[in-house]
Amino acid sequence: MVGISFVVLVAGAGVAAYLVFGTRAKKTADVLPTRVLSTQAVGLVVNAPVAAGGPEQRVLIASSSDLGFTAGGPPEAAWTSDQMAGGTYILIYLQNGLCLTPRPATSSSGTPAPARAVMLRRCSTTQASQRWVRQNRTAGAGGLDYWQLRDLGNGRCLTAGSGGSTAQLAPCAATPGPRQLVAFVTTP
């Protein structure tokens, strides 16, 4: 009788422990909404200073080796901006359907990658690293609204490099300068 009572007590404690601790991960896990609220074709533009002079409008595009802000001509809609439920954005490059993502700390060959680099990667609506948050709105020239674009996965902001052309991630400035302010420009 004592043996059976002990077994029932241990089994009850096991069930209680599972209910308390076994389901905790499900309750505390951050689940990203996957519902798309709106989709818009945009150009991602910064007014980054160039080495020879003042601010110049630059558009984020992909080259064969990396992503960069390129000067010249009116901004074309090279990206799809998918606004997700919850207020985040997924940025999809129109030419290949890949998403803007921070580059992993190591490359597939095992060599260290530039820690602040961005890249294009297969899209996943459940990855925080492919979600971008617009913050710190600033009114710019021509009626454009500029925002910091903060990566939800690592908390860093999309930034034009010091020469104005390299696209990278940097700590989000409390008072962002032109290299960290990005506009979503639509073409008529």
Side-chain angles (χ1 to χ4, degrees), residues 7 15 34 56 66 82 84-85 103 114-115 150 155 166 176 181 184 187:
V7 170
V15 169
T34 58
E56 182 177 336
D66 61 0
D82 289 0
M84 307 301 288
R103 187 176 301 274
R150 179 177 51 85
T166 305
L181 291 171
F184 288 11
T187 53

Side-chain angles (χ1 to χ4, degrees), residues 61-115:
I61 60 167
S63 68
S64 60
S65 60
D66 61 0
L67 290 162
F69 289 98
T70 304
E76 293 184 18
W79 299 86
T80 297
S81 165
D82 289 0
Q83 184 177 11
M84 307 301 288
T88 61
Y89 291 83
I90 295 177
L91 301 171
I92 305 166
Y93 196 57
L94 288 173
Q95 288 187 6
N96 57 19
L98 299 176
C99 285
L100 184 63
T101 308
R103 187 176 301 274
T106 57
S107 68
S108 58
S109 64
T111 58

Side-chain angles (χ1 to χ4, degrees), residues 91-181:
L91 301 171
I92 305 166
Y93 196 57
L94 288 173
Q95 288 187 6
N96 57 19
L98 299 176
C99 285
L100 184 63
T101 308
R103 187 176 301 274
T106 57
S107 68
S108 58
S109 64
T111 58
R116 298 181 293 170
V118 289
M119 63 183 282
L120 295 173
R121 177 175 265 175
R122 185 172 171 249
C123 298
S124 170
T125 58
T126 60
Q127 288 186 1
S129 63
Q130 291 184 352
R131 297 290 183 104
W132 299 86
V133 178
R134 293 194 318 181
Q135 63 187 28
N136 294 329
R137 179 186 165 271
T138 301
L144 289 178
D145 286 334
Y146 287 85
W147 305 80
Q148 281 179 309
L149 284 178
R150 179 177 51 85
D151 179 66
L152 191 60
N154 67 19
R156 290 177 166 254
C157 284
L158 183 62
T159 305
S162 59
S165 61
T166 305
Q168 61 189 22
L169 293 173
C172 298
T175 306
R179 294 185 314 125
Q180 237 178 34
L181 291 171

Side-chain angles (χ1 to χ4, degrees), residues 12 16 18 22 51 57 76 143 167:
Y18 171 76
Q57 194 174 64
E76 293 184 18

